[in-house]
Short mmCIF file of all heavy atoms in Angstrom, two decimals:
data_model
loop_
_atom_site.label_atom_id
_atom_site.label_comp_id
_atom_site.label_asym_id
_atom_site.label_seq_id
_atom_site.Cartn_x
_atom_site.Cartn_y
_atom_site.Cartn_z
N ARG A 1 86.84 64.84 72.66
CA ARG A 1 85.95 64.87 71.50
C ARG A 1 85.09 66.12 71.55
O ARG A 1 84.61 66.56 70.45
CB ARG A 1 85.12 63.66 71.47
CG ARG A 1 85.90 62.36 71.32
CD ARG A 1 84.98 61.17 71.35
NE ARG A 1 85.69 59.93 71.39
CZ ARG A 1 85.09 58.72 71.49
NH1 ARG A 1 83.79 58.62 71.56
NH2 ARG A 1 85.83 57.59 71.57
N ARG A 2 84.88 66.70 72.68
CA ARG A 2 83.94 67.87 72.83
C ARG A 2 84.66 69.19 72.83
O ARG A 2 84.00 70.23 72.90
CB ARG A 2 83.15 67.71 74.10
CG ARG A 2 82.32 66.41 74.21
CD ARG A 2 81.67 66.31 75.54
NE ARG A 2 81.00 64.98 75.69
CZ ARG A 2 81.01 64.29 76.79
NH1 ARG A 2 81.67 64.71 77.87
NH2 ARG A 2 80.38 63.12 76.82
N LEU A 3 85.99 69.16 72.71
CA LEU A 3 86.80 70.41 72.93
C LEU A 3 86.42 71.41 71.85
O LEU A 3 86.29 72.63 72.16
CB LEU A 3 88.27 70.11 72.87
CG LEU A 3 88.88 69.44 74.11
CD1 LEU A 3 90.36 69.10 73.86
CD2 LEU A 3 88.73 70.38 75.30
N MET A 4 86.25 70.99 70.63
CA MET A 4 86.02 71.92 69.50
C MET A 4 84.53 72.35 69.44
O MET A 4 84.22 73.25 68.68
CB MET A 4 86.46 71.33 68.17
CG MET A 4 87.97 71.00 68.14
SD MET A 4 89.03 72.49 68.39
CE MET A 4 88.72 73.41 66.90
N LYS A 5 83.66 71.64 70.12
CA LYS A 5 82.27 71.97 70.11
C LYS A 5 81.83 72.81 71.31
O LYS A 5 80.78 73.48 71.26
CB LYS A 5 81.41 70.67 70.09
CG LYS A 5 81.69 69.80 68.88
CD LYS A 5 80.94 68.48 68.94
CE LYS A 5 81.17 67.60 67.75
NZ LYS A 5 80.44 66.34 67.83
N ARG A 6 82.65 72.78 72.34
CA ARG A 6 82.29 73.48 73.56
C ARG A 6 82.37 75.02 73.38
O ARG A 6 83.23 75.52 72.72
CB ARG A 6 83.22 73.06 74.71
CG ARG A 6 82.87 73.64 76.05
CD ARG A 6 83.92 73.14 77.08
NE ARG A 6 83.81 73.80 78.33
CZ ARG A 6 82.94 73.51 79.32
NH1 ARG A 6 82.05 72.51 79.12
NH2 ARG A 6 82.87 74.18 80.42
N LYS A 7 81.50 75.73 74.06
CA LYS A 7 81.52 77.20 74.11
C LYS A 7 82.41 77.65 75.24
O LYS A 7 82.12 77.42 76.40
CB LYS A 7 80.10 77.79 74.23
CG LYS A 7 80.09 79.29 74.10
CD LYS A 7 78.73 79.84 74.16
CE LYS A 7 78.69 81.37 74.05
NZ LYS A 7 77.33 81.92 74.07
N TRP A 8 83.52 78.33 74.91
CA TRP A 8 84.51 78.71 75.94
C TRP A 8 84.34 80.16 76.37
O TRP A 8 83.84 80.94 75.57
CB TRP A 8 85.91 78.44 75.41
CG TRP A 8 86.21 77.01 75.05
CD1 TRP A 8 86.13 76.42 73.78
CD2 TRP A 8 86.61 76.00 75.93
NE1 TRP A 8 86.43 75.08 73.91
CE2 TRP A 8 86.71 74.81 75.21
CE3 TRP A 8 86.87 75.94 77.31
CZ2 TRP A 8 87.11 73.58 75.76
CZ3 TRP A 8 87.20 74.78 77.94
CH2 TRP A 8 87.30 73.58 77.12
N ASN A 9 84.89 80.47 77.50
CA ASN A 9 84.99 81.85 77.95
C ASN A 9 86.16 82.51 77.18
O ASN A 9 87.33 82.26 77.49
CB ASN A 9 85.27 81.87 79.46
CG ASN A 9 85.37 83.28 80.02
OD1 ASN A 9 85.49 84.27 79.29
ND2 ASN A 9 85.26 83.41 81.32
N MET A 10 85.84 83.33 76.21
CA MET A 10 86.82 83.96 75.42
C MET A 10 87.01 85.43 75.71
O MET A 10 87.42 86.24 74.87
CB MET A 10 86.50 83.78 73.87
CG MET A 10 86.32 82.35 73.46
SD MET A 10 87.88 81.32 73.68
CE MET A 10 88.90 82.02 72.43
N ASN A 11 86.71 85.83 76.95
CA ASN A 11 86.82 87.21 77.34
C ASN A 11 88.30 87.70 77.38
O ASN A 11 88.62 88.81 76.97
CB ASN A 11 86.19 87.47 78.74
CG ASN A 11 84.73 87.31 78.73
OD1 ASN A 11 84.06 87.54 77.72
ND2 ASN A 11 84.15 86.89 79.84
N ASP A 12 89.19 86.82 77.80
CA ASP A 12 90.59 87.10 77.85
C ASP A 12 91.37 85.82 77.92
O ASP A 12 90.82 84.75 78.27
CB ASP A 12 90.95 88.01 79.05
CG ASP A 12 90.53 87.36 80.35
OD1 ASP A 12 91.35 86.53 80.81
OD2 ASP A 12 89.44 87.66 80.87
N PRO A 13 92.66 85.78 77.59
CA PRO A 13 93.45 84.53 77.58
C PRO A 13 93.53 83.83 78.92
O PRO A 13 93.60 82.60 78.94
CB PRO A 13 94.79 84.94 77.01
CG PRO A 13 94.87 86.42 77.27
CD PRO A 13 93.47 86.97 77.16
N VAL A 14 93.62 84.58 80.00
CA VAL A 14 93.71 83.95 81.30
C VAL A 14 92.44 83.20 81.66
O VAL A 14 92.49 82.02 82.09
CB VAL A 14 94.03 85.02 82.34
CG1 VAL A 14 93.95 84.33 83.79
CG2 VAL A 14 95.47 85.57 82.16
N SER A 15 91.30 83.83 81.47
CA SER A 15 90.00 83.18 81.74
C SER A 15 89.85 81.93 80.92
O SER A 15 89.39 80.88 81.39
CB SER A 15 88.86 84.17 81.49
OG SER A 15 88.95 85.28 82.33
N PHE A 16 90.20 82.02 79.63
CA PHE A 16 90.08 80.82 78.81
C PHE A 16 91.01 79.72 79.27
O PHE A 16 90.63 78.57 79.35
CB PHE A 16 90.47 81.21 77.36
CG PHE A 16 90.74 79.98 76.53
CD1 PHE A 16 89.65 79.17 76.12
CD2 PHE A 16 92.02 79.63 76.12
CE1 PHE A 16 89.87 78.03 75.36
CE2 PHE A 16 92.25 78.49 75.38
CZ PHE A 16 91.21 77.65 75.03
N SER A 17 92.27 80.06 79.57
CA SER A 17 93.24 79.02 79.99
C SER A 17 92.80 78.33 81.31
O SER A 17 92.94 77.12 81.45
CB SER A 17 94.63 79.65 80.22
OG SER A 17 95.14 80.12 79.03
N LEU A 18 92.25 79.10 82.22
CA LEU A 18 91.78 78.51 83.50
C LEU A 18 90.58 77.60 83.27
O LEU A 18 90.45 76.52 83.86
CB LEU A 18 91.36 79.67 84.48
CG LEU A 18 92.57 80.49 84.97
CD1 LEU A 18 92.06 81.63 85.90
CD2 LEU A 18 93.58 79.65 85.70
N GLU A 19 89.65 78.02 82.34
CA GLU A 19 88.46 77.21 82.08
C GLU A 19 88.89 75.92 81.36
O GLU A 19 88.36 74.85 81.63
CB GLU A 19 87.46 78.01 81.22
CG GLU A 19 86.16 77.16 81.00
CD GLU A 19 85.17 77.90 80.15
OE1 GLU A 19 85.44 79.08 79.75
OE2 GLU A 19 84.08 77.35 79.88
N TRP A 20 89.78 76.03 80.39
CA TRP A 20 90.32 74.93 79.65
C TRP A 20 90.95 73.86 80.65
O TRP A 20 90.69 72.67 80.59
CB TRP A 20 91.37 75.39 78.71
CG TRP A 20 92.03 74.33 77.81
CD1 TRP A 20 93.12 73.58 78.15
CD2 TRP A 20 91.64 73.95 76.49
NE1 TRP A 20 93.46 72.76 77.10
CE2 TRP A 20 92.57 72.95 76.08
CE3 TRP A 20 90.67 74.38 75.59
CZ2 TRP A 20 92.54 72.36 74.81
CZ3 TRP A 20 90.62 73.76 74.34
CH2 TRP A 20 91.56 72.76 73.94
N ASP A 21 91.70 74.37 81.55
CA ASP A 21 92.38 73.53 82.60
C ASP A 21 91.33 72.80 83.47
O ASP A 21 91.47 71.60 83.73
CB ASP A 21 93.30 74.41 83.41
CG ASP A 21 94.01 73.60 84.46
OD1 ASP A 21 94.93 72.78 84.11
OD2 ASP A 21 93.70 73.73 85.67
N ARG A 22 90.34 73.56 83.91
CA ARG A 22 89.31 73.00 84.78
C ARG A 22 88.49 71.88 84.09
O ARG A 22 88.11 70.88 84.66
CB ARG A 22 88.39 74.04 85.30
CG ARG A 22 88.93 74.94 86.39
CD ARG A 22 87.83 75.79 87.04
NE ARG A 22 87.16 76.63 86.11
CZ ARG A 22 87.52 77.89 85.82
NH1 ARG A 22 88.57 78.39 86.46
NH2 ARG A 22 86.86 78.63 84.99
N TYR A 23 88.25 72.11 82.76
CA TYR A 23 87.48 71.15 82.00
C TYR A 23 88.24 69.84 81.74
O TYR A 23 87.67 68.78 81.87
CB TYR A 23 87.11 71.78 80.64
CG TYR A 23 86.30 70.83 79.75
CD1 TYR A 23 84.96 70.55 80.05
CD2 TYR A 23 86.87 70.29 78.65
CE1 TYR A 23 84.21 69.71 79.25
CE2 TYR A 23 86.14 69.40 77.82
CZ TYR A 23 84.81 69.13 78.16
OH TYR A 23 84.09 68.27 77.34
N LEU A 24 89.53 69.94 81.40
CA LEU A 24 90.28 68.76 81.12
C LEU A 24 90.77 68.05 82.36
O LEU A 24 90.79 66.80 82.33
CB LEU A 24 91.50 69.15 80.25
CG LEU A 24 91.18 69.46 78.74
CD1 LEU A 24 92.48 69.91 78.05
CD2 LEU A 24 90.59 68.25 78.08
N ASN A 25 91.21 68.74 83.35
CA ASN A 25 91.88 68.10 84.47
C ASN A 25 90.84 67.85 85.63
O ASN A 25 90.72 68.62 86.59
CB ASN A 25 93.02 68.99 84.99
CG ASN A 25 94.15 69.01 84.03
OD1 ASN A 25 94.51 68.01 83.44
ND2 ASN A 25 94.68 70.19 83.75
N ARG A 26 90.12 66.75 85.45
CA ARG A 26 89.15 66.31 86.48
C ARG A 26 89.55 64.95 87.03
O ARG A 26 90.37 64.25 86.41
CB ARG A 26 87.76 66.20 85.81
CG ARG A 26 87.23 67.51 85.27
CD ARG A 26 85.83 67.33 84.64
NE ARG A 26 85.33 68.55 84.01
CZ ARG A 26 84.19 68.56 83.38
NH1 ARG A 26 83.38 67.54 83.26
NH2 ARG A 26 83.78 69.74 82.84
N GLY A 27 88.97 64.62 88.14
CA GLY A 27 89.26 63.30 88.74
C GLY A 27 90.71 63.12 89.02
O GLY A 27 91.35 63.93 89.67
N GLY A 28 91.30 62.00 88.53
CA GLY A 28 92.66 61.71 88.80
C GLY A 28 93.59 62.77 88.20
O GLY A 28 94.66 63.01 88.80
N TYR A 29 93.22 63.37 87.08
CA TYR A 29 94.07 64.37 86.48
C TYR A 29 94.14 65.64 87.34
O TYR A 29 95.19 66.29 87.41
CB TYR A 29 93.53 64.73 85.07
CG TYR A 29 93.81 63.64 84.05
CD1 TYR A 29 92.83 62.70 83.74
CD2 TYR A 29 95.05 63.49 83.47
CE1 TYR A 29 93.04 61.71 82.81
CE2 TYR A 29 95.30 62.50 82.54
CZ TYR A 29 94.32 61.58 82.24
OH TYR A 29 94.58 60.57 81.33
N GLU A 30 93.07 65.95 88.02
CA GLU A 30 93.08 67.06 88.98
C GLU A 30 94.08 66.78 90.11
O GLU A 30 94.85 67.62 90.55
CB GLU A 30 91.68 67.30 89.50
CG GLU A 30 91.62 68.51 90.44
CD GLU A 30 90.24 68.79 90.95
OE1 GLU A 30 89.31 67.99 90.65
OE2 GLU A 30 90.02 69.79 91.65
N ASN A 31 94.03 65.54 90.58
CA ASN A 31 94.95 65.14 91.66
C ASN A 31 96.39 65.22 91.15
O ASN A 31 97.30 65.62 91.89
CB ASN A 31 94.67 63.71 92.11
CG ASN A 31 93.33 63.54 92.78
OD1 ASN A 31 92.73 64.50 93.25
ND2 ASN A 31 92.77 62.32 92.71
N LEU A 32 96.62 64.80 89.94
CA LEU A 32 97.99 64.84 89.34
C LEU A 32 98.50 66.29 89.28
O LEU A 32 99.65 66.57 89.65
CB LEU A 32 97.93 64.25 87.91
CG LEU A 32 99.25 64.17 87.17
CD1 LEU A 32 100.24 63.23 87.95
CD2 LEU A 32 99.02 63.63 85.76
N GLU A 33 97.64 67.23 88.83
CA GLU A 33 98.03 68.64 88.80
C GLU A 33 98.22 69.24 90.18
O GLU A 33 99.12 70.04 90.37
CB GLU A 33 96.98 69.43 88.03
CG GLU A 33 96.94 69.16 86.50
CD GLU A 33 98.31 69.36 85.88
OE1 GLU A 33 98.92 70.42 86.06
OE2 GLU A 33 98.69 68.50 85.10
N ARG A 34 97.49 68.76 91.13
CA ARG A 34 97.68 69.17 92.52
C ARG A 34 99.08 68.71 93.03
O ARG A 34 99.77 69.48 93.75
CB ARG A 34 96.60 68.63 93.41
CG ARG A 34 96.64 69.17 94.82
CD ARG A 34 95.45 68.65 95.64
NE ARG A 34 94.14 69.11 95.07
CZ ARG A 34 93.23 68.29 94.59
NH1 ARG A 34 93.40 66.99 94.63
NH2 ARG A 34 92.09 68.77 94.12
N GLU A 35 99.45 67.53 92.68
CA GLU A 35 100.76 67.03 93.03
C GLU A 35 101.87 67.82 92.38
O GLU A 35 102.90 68.11 92.99
CB GLU A 35 100.94 65.53 92.68
CG GLU A 35 100.10 64.58 93.50
CD GLU A 35 100.43 64.65 94.99
OE1 GLU A 35 101.64 64.73 95.30
OE2 GLU A 35 99.49 64.64 95.77
N ARG A 36 101.65 68.23 91.12
CA ARG A 36 102.63 69.10 90.48
C ARG A 36 102.78 70.41 91.22
O ARG A 36 103.91 70.89 91.43
CB ARG A 36 102.19 69.42 89.03
CG ARG A 36 102.41 68.33 88.03
CD ARG A 36 102.07 68.79 86.61
NE ARG A 36 102.98 69.81 86.25
CZ ARG A 36 102.69 70.96 85.55
NH1 ARG A 36 101.40 71.21 85.38
NH2 ARG A 36 103.58 71.82 85.22
N ALA A 37 101.67 71.01 91.60
CA ALA A 37 101.69 72.30 92.35
C ALA A 37 102.49 72.14 93.68
O ALA A 37 103.33 73.05 93.99
CB ALA A 37 100.29 72.80 92.59
#
């Protein structure tokens, strides 16, 4: 719900993608992405 209201790092696409990922993938989702890696 906060994705469109949040102020993102828009310096470059890589920085934005990494920040987007860190924001969404917390808790169990972070563990899930770790298992993917």
Side-chain angles (χ1 to χ4, degrees):
R1 297 178 189 177
R2 302 174 185 140
L3 286 175
M4 298 302 290
K5 299 177 181 179
R6 182 180 171 85
K7 185 176 181 180
W8 299 97
N9 182 344
M10 302 299 290
N11 291 332
D12 59 81
V14 172
S15 297
F16 165 73
S17 295
L18 294 177
E19 184 180 0
W20 180 275
D21 180 71
R22 286 192 300 268
Y23 179 72
L24 284 176
N25 292 315
R26 300 179 184 179
Y29 287 98
E30 183 178 5
N31 295 337
L32 183 63
E33 290 303 313
R34 188 176 297 117
E35 290 300 319
R36 283 188 65 226

